[in-house]
Amino acid sequence: DARPQAPTGTEERRFTINEGGSASIRGAGDNVTWTFTAIPDRPPVISLAKEPEGQSRGSLLLAYKLEDDYGVIDAQATFERNPSAADAKDGRTPRPLFSAPDFTLVLPQARTKNGVGQTTKDLTEHPWAGVDVAMTLVARDEAGNEGRSSVQDLRLPERPFAKPLPRALVEQRRVLALDANAKDRVLVALDALTIAPERFTPETNVYLGLRSIYWQLMRAKNDDGLRDVVSRL
């Protein structure tokens, strides 16, 4: 317990006040009475100040409003896949290999009681880049009360690729990252991308790299092996 100890010869009691009332001390001359009014600690309020913005290099810019009676000490942006986007094609529930790219929001000042904050986050390297998501902002105060914004649908920014082969590879990277059960589908796609190397992958090192990834995926026996393939893609 980090609280200071009462001086020797004194006595200390601590109580949590949940409603109005009074406390009295007797036996030390005149009785002393204090009256208390319990003021509920309301949960924080957080909301977007404007629509999320994708920046020129692919970063996500969020601007948000914060309010709390005693002050916000922590805020986060959290993400979930949209239900329609998360449905597996074979009817099975998708099994993501990577968790959502939740991140901490910058507070305008410590213990923000009322203010507007702004956070820029680069998510283009994350396997969820380019995914349709439902975003919720969450704010917490020191007492653990939690406030949540309304849900905002958006597509996470992704790195743009001009050439068709990189676009196809990053798409297969995303498919595998979001569903370990998609291994066989990604194998078929990678095999197709190397079916005519003289036409589609004339660079020998690129062709050999793709075949190497194909066989690495073929031999992957667990989720860690699949994550290694995602990283190589």
Side-chain angles (χ1 to χ4, degrees):
D1 191 341
R3 296 176 300 193
Q5 298 298 311
T8 303
T10 64
E11 188 172 328
E12 180 180 288
R13 293 287 185 271
R14 292 175 181 261
F15 305 92
T16 299
I17 299 175
N18 295 313
E19 57 185 345
S22 61
S24 299
I25 295 180
R26 303 184 182 90
D30 294 335
N31 294 338
V32 179
T33 299
W34 290 272
T35 300
F36 301 96
T37 300
I39 302 173
D41 184 4
R42 299 189 306 273
V45 176
I46 184 169
S47 62
L48 285 169
K50 59 181 180 179
E51 292 290 311
E53 295 180 8
Q55 303 300 286
S56 58
R57 294 183 178 273
S59 298
L60 179 65
L61 172 64
L62 299 179
Y64 38 89
K65 296 181 289 186
L66 298 155
E67 183 180 343
D68 186 63
D69 43 6
Y70 291 100
V72 175
I73 65 167
D74 175 67
Q76 280 192 322
T78 63
F79 303 89
E80 293 182 354
R81 292 187 68 193
N82 284 335
S84 59
D87 292 338
K89 292 184 178 180
D90 56 9
R92 292 183 295 179
T93 301
R95 188 164 61 82
L97 292 167
F98 296 86
S99 58
D102 300 345
F103 59 87
T104 300
L105 299 176
V106 177
L107 300 180
Q109 63 269 340
R111 297 181 179 276
T112 301
K113 291 189 174 182
N114 196 319
V116 176
Q118 182 171 292
T119 299
T120 302
K121 185 72 173 180
D122 185 357
L123 300 175
T124 56
E125 295 295 328
H126 195 279
W128 281 41
V131 173
D132 292 322
V133 298
M135 180 184 73
T136 304
L137 307 185
V138 182
R140 299 178 184 86
D141 64 15
E142 192 168 24
N145 297 312
E146 185 177 278
R148 304 174 72 87
S149 71
S150 57
V151 176
Q152 174 77 29
D153 292 331
L154 73 151
R155 174 166 292 181
L156 292 175
E158 60 184 323
R159 179 182 172 188
F161 290 94
K163 296 181 179 180
L165 180 58
R167 284 205 307 270
L169 290 178
V170 80
E171 172 64 21
Q172 295 310 309
R173 170 185 185 256
R174 182 163 52 240
V175 168
L176 184 59
L178 294 174
D179 186 8
N181 298 324
K183 173 182 174 179
D184 290 344
R185 284 193 286 129
V186 175
L187 280 170
V188 171
L190 290 176
D191 202 30
L193 289 171
T194 57
I195 201 168
E198 69 284 352
R199 182 174 180 183
F200 300 112
T201 51
E203 299 90 344
T204 304
N205 61 324
V206 174
Y207 173 79
L208 293 177
L210 288 177
R211 294 310 297 174
S212 172
I213 292 173
Y214 173 87
W215 286 109
Q216 182 181 355
L217 179 57
M218 175 72 79
R219 298 186 180 103
K221 301 298 183 183
N222 53 43
D223 287 356
D224 286 338
L226 296 177
R227 292 187 189 99
D228 287 343
V229 172
V230 170
S231 298
R232 287 195 66 190
L233 283 170

